[in-house]
Amino acid sequence: MQRLIPVLNNDHVPLHLISVINTLLIAAKEISFRLHQGSLAGTLGSTLDENVQGETQKKLDVVSNQLIKSMLLETNLVHAVASEEEDFVVMGNPDAKYLVAFDPLDGSSNIDINGSVGTIFSILEKPDHPAEGTELFLQTGDEQIAAGYILYGPSTMLVLTTGNGVKMFTLDHSIGEFLLTVEKVTLAEQTQEFAINMSNRRFWTSPMEHYISDLLSGELGVRKKNFNMRWNAAMVSDVHRVLSRSGIFMYPADCKNPEKPCKLRLMYEANPMSFLVEQAGGRSSTGYERIMSIQPTDIHERVSVIMGSRAEVDSCLGYYKKYQCDRPDTPKV
Ligand code: F6P
Ligand code: MN
């Protein structure tokens, strides 16, 4: 089986970019080790602090964030990093060109139940125009030059795109290397499996409400086929299932909390996952626009997410055309 670096060399990925990706993987191996130690590592449970977005922070979130951030900056190849756990952009080498946005430990509430979690990353280049701090990162998802995630599940996997399809690698703990296990990830166009947090149903807007209601009606309804549902409550592992065996993953805008109509973050959740899904032949949208076309205005901005098998995303989007409603993700004037 092929090791990661020769595979990326073969794909003509620039050497410095390979080094940045490899640095993320060195940090990931350490995180994977600590996760596998579980309670034995003595780092599980919540700290008393809250992260910048008001969610309870687990100790391993803090450790993972610190590790990834410092290792990336030490390479001298990174101009700036943005993380879910950091209020502001952290600057690195002024002469370097890479920008890395990451979610150090996505789905961290799964740590307590020994469930899957992951590290999501998106790599951009310094823009041509003069920009500083946050402005550096305010680029559309289409500008990403690489994106992926490391899934810490029963096995530790890297799922990566550098704009030339999607590859999956599995960590061989005995040699400490990621080996190529899926050369070309291809999403089936059709699916009979969906992922959504159904407990938010009464807060959805009418397009999503009608769409899910038709899926639940199965072969007795207009879709004339039965659908299965899965929800791991960690985007990284829900999207991994979609990339592995097709499906549709949704976290739509809702009106549960008008201050926060969307849950998932554009820069380090929605954009990198959209890049992977599109590179695997799938589709990704907010319901109204393609996610990777969105011009961000903040590094921590949140978006509505509908992604996965192309034909199924298209049929969901059909409901957004058919049922007009007020968009909870658009500020009211
Ligand atoms: O990062 C946010 C996140 O943990 C995602 O990984 C996941 O999809 C979602 O929140 C789970 O949200 P909920 O609590 O609604 O299941
Ligand atoms: Mn997350």
Side-chain angles (χ1 to χ4, degrees):
M1 251 176 267
Q2 287 177 280
R3 295 170 189 231
L4 178 95
I5 293 180
V7 171
L8 297 187
N9 271 325
N10 242 351
D11 277 355
H12 307 291
V13 178
L15 277 180
H16 284 172
L17 180 56
I18 296 181
S19 289
V20 172
I21 295 168
N22 200 42
T23 303
L24 284 164
L25 296 181
I26 297 169
K29 281 187 246 177
E30 173 69 25
I31 297 167
S32 170
F33 174 76
R34 289 177 188 235
L35 283 162
H36 281 99
Q37 289 290 92
S39 311
L40 301 175
T43 48
L44 299 188
S46 306
T47 62
L48 294 177
D49 299 333
E50 294 222 317
N51 73 3
V52 293
Q53 287 153 58
E55 288 153 8
T56 310
Q57 205 173 49
K58 306 288 174 192
K59 277 188 183 169
L60 258 174
D61 296 13
V62 182
V63 172
S64 308
N65 180 52
Q66 203 57 45
L67 196 64
I68 297 171
K69 181 179 68 174
S70 53
M71 288 188 69
L72 283 174
L73 296 177
E74 273 166 25
T75 62
N76 268 334
L77 297 171
V78 174
H79 184 63
V81 298
S83 160
E84 186 197 5
E85 301 290 343
E86 305 276 342
D87 249 329
F88 305 106
V89 162
V90 184
M91 299 305 297
N93 177 1
D95 299 323
K97 68 172 177 184
Y98 294 117
L99 307 171
V100 186
F102 60 94
D103 182 351
L105 216 48
D106 176 65
S108 54
S109 64
N110 275 1
I111 296 172
D112 295 340
I113 57 153
N114 196 15
S116 295
V117 292
T119 298
I120 309 174
F121 59 90
S122 162
I123 305 179
L124 298 157
E125 284 180 344
K126 202 159 71 170
D128 293 336
H129 58 268
E132 279 177 27
T134 297
E135 285 165 11
L136 289 162
F137 284 85
L138 303 183
Q139 308 182 37
T140 67
D142 278 329
E143 309 293 322
Q144 295 173 102
I145 53 166
Y149 58 81
I150 298 106
L151 175 71
Y152 311 104
S155 57
T156 295
M157 292 185 76
L158 163 71
V159 180
L160 176 72
T161 184
T162 53
N164 178 26
V166 179
K167 292 183 169 64
M168 291 188 181
F169 299 82
T170 305
L171 176 60
D172 181 341
H173 288 280
S174 65
I175 54 169
E177 293 265 1
F178 283 86
L179 305 180
L180 183 65
T181 41
V182 185
E183 203 167 335
K184 187 172 170 28
V185 177
T186 311
L187 250 174
E189 211 177 310
Q190 313 277 345
T191 183
Q192 289 185 230
E193 195 163 76
F194 69 98
I196 195 164
N197 184 343
M198 284 295 295
S199 71
N200 291 328
R201 185 175 189 167
R202 69 186 186 284
F203 304 109
W204 295 336
T205 57
S206 59
M208 191 50 75
E209 168 64 35
H210 282 96
Y211 169 64
I212 297 293
S213 164
D214 283 348
L215 297 191
L216 295 176
S217 301
E219 56 190 14
L220 303 179
V222 291
R223 296 302 305 274
K224 297 194 173 4
K225 61 177 186 178
N226 292 328
F227 282 81
N228 187 25
M229 199 203 89
R230 286 285 184 270
W231 187 248
N232 287 344
M235 183 194 202
V236 69
S237 75
D238 281 309
V239 173
H240 185 71
R241 186 188 53 256
V242 169
L243 287 169
S244 303
R245 68 172 188 211
S246 86
I248 180 168
F249 168 86
M250 293 154 284
Y251 214 117
D254 61 47
C255 60
K256 187 150 98 184
N257 174 359
E259 301 292 309
K260 198 180 106 177
C262 303
K263 174 125 189 187
L264 300 178
R265 274 46 78 95
L266 176 63
M267 304 296 302
Y268 39 80
E269 292 180 321
N271 267 342
M273 293 309 204
S274 299
F275 195 11
L276 291 169
V277 164
E278 287 198 6
Q279 283 288 317
R283 190 151 289 173
S284 177
S285 169
T286 63
Y288 296 95
E289 66 261 278
R290 186 174 159 264
I291 287 180
M292 288 206 291
S293 303
I294 298 173
Q295 175 58 51
T297 55
D298 185 84
I299 47 166
H300 295 298
E301 117 181 39
R302 298 172 190 262
V303 282
S304 165
V305 171
I306 299 164
M307 60 169 66
S309 294
R310 197 149 25 114
E312 198 49 50
V313 172
D314 284 347
S315 56
C316 177
L317 298 182
Y319 288 74
Y320 280 81
K321 290 206 180 78
K322 186 167 170 195
Y323 298 96
Q324 305 291 325
C325 65
D326 283 348
R327 290 180 58 173
D329 58 335
T330 310
K332 307 272 175 306
V333 273

